[in-house]
Amino acid sequence: MSFPSSAPSPDTQKLYPLYLCLLCFMLYISALGARDFWAPVEPRYAEIARVMFSKNEWIVPTINGDLYTDKPILYFWLVLLVARVFGAVNEWTVRLPAALGGVGFVFGTYLLGRDFFNARTGFIAAAILATTMRVVWEARWAHVDMVFCAFFVFAVYFGARALFHKGQPHEILFTYLFLALATLT
């Protein structure tokens, strides 16, 4: 008696990124601006971005007239970019960088699993990560953690590819780039 192969077909494996994209959209981006800001972090980040947006100030974040140095600047820059595209600082534009960071975190996990194990392992690991309650929470909340995790997992991905000779030698430069972006986050 022979059992059918449980390995997914190559056509199915090519759809894994699409499945992850749909899952992330449903979990992180849908109804992103449907609720008000939750204290204490979201209103603070929104006000900092609102002041920077209204003054066209991209370098010095302030809150209530005081310099804000608790977090690095990159998250605010991302919010400002989104606000420039959509014309306002609101719940959706302040949360979108975190949601996209969550998507990046999930895709970075998929790539790690795909390149160092197989596509199915990467897909399962990414799907589990995507549906983990803390990741869902952080990706739907205006917070720097998901953006940091995305940059960090891509730094690990490119570093591992360079270290284990899975990619081109110049890919180590992407490790440095993503570590720099994680530091700015």
Side-chain angles (χ1 to χ4, degrees):
M1 174 183 225
S2 67
F3 293 100
S5 173
S6 64
S9 70
D11 291 337
T12 301
Q13 292 178 8
K14 290 179 183 177
L15 293 175
Y16 286 163
L18 176 64
Y19 295 153
L20 289 173
C21 213
L22 292 172
L23 179 64
C24 288
F25 179 81
M26 289 187 322
L27 291 174
Y28 307 153
I29 297 174
S30 64
L32 193 59
R35 64 173 172 80
D36 291 336
F37 291 122
W38 286 351
V41 175
E42 284 190 318
R44 182 182 322 133
Y45 285 7
E47 178 60 12
I48 291 167
R50 186 194 66 77
V51 169
M52 292 175 79
F53 184 80
S54 66
K55 290 183 176 181
N56 201 23
E57 170 63 59
W58 287 71
I59 304 298
V60 182
T62 59
I63 185 147
N64 298 326
D66 294 330
L67 181 65
Y68 184 78
T69 59
D70 291 2
K71 297 289 181 186
I73 194 75
L74 185 62
Y75 190 84
F76 301 111
W77 286 344
L78 295 174
V79 171
L80 287 173
L81 287 173
V82 173
R84 287 279 177 228
V85 170
F86 294 100
V89 174
N90 56 35
E91 288 85 353
W92 193 81
T93 58
V94 172
R95 292 183 186 125
L96 187 61
L100 294 177
V103 173
F105 190 27
V106 169
F107 273 94
T109 302
Y110 168 71
L111 293 173
L112 271 168
R114 182 197 70 187
D115 286 5
F116 292 97
F117 297 98
N118 59 52
R120 185 175 185 197
T121 301
F123 177 72
I124 292 170
I128 290 171
L129 178 70
T131 56
T132 302
M133 191 59 217
R134 187 62 188 211
V135 173
V136 173
W137 173 263
E138 292 289 340
R140 296 188 59 81
W141 189 41
H143 209 242
V144 301
D145 292 359
M146 281 296 97
V147 178
F148 172 80
C149 287
F151 289 143
F152 191 77
V153 78
F154 279 111
V156 169
Y157 170 69
F158 284 110
R161 282 178 57 87
L163 182 66
F164 296 114
H165 307 291
K166 293 268 188 179
Q168 301 297 318
H170 70 275
E171 287 184 10
I172 193 71
L173 298 175
F174 290 115
T175 302
Y176 300 133
L177 171 69
F178 284 111
L179 284 175
L181 290 171
T183 302
L184 283 172
T185 304

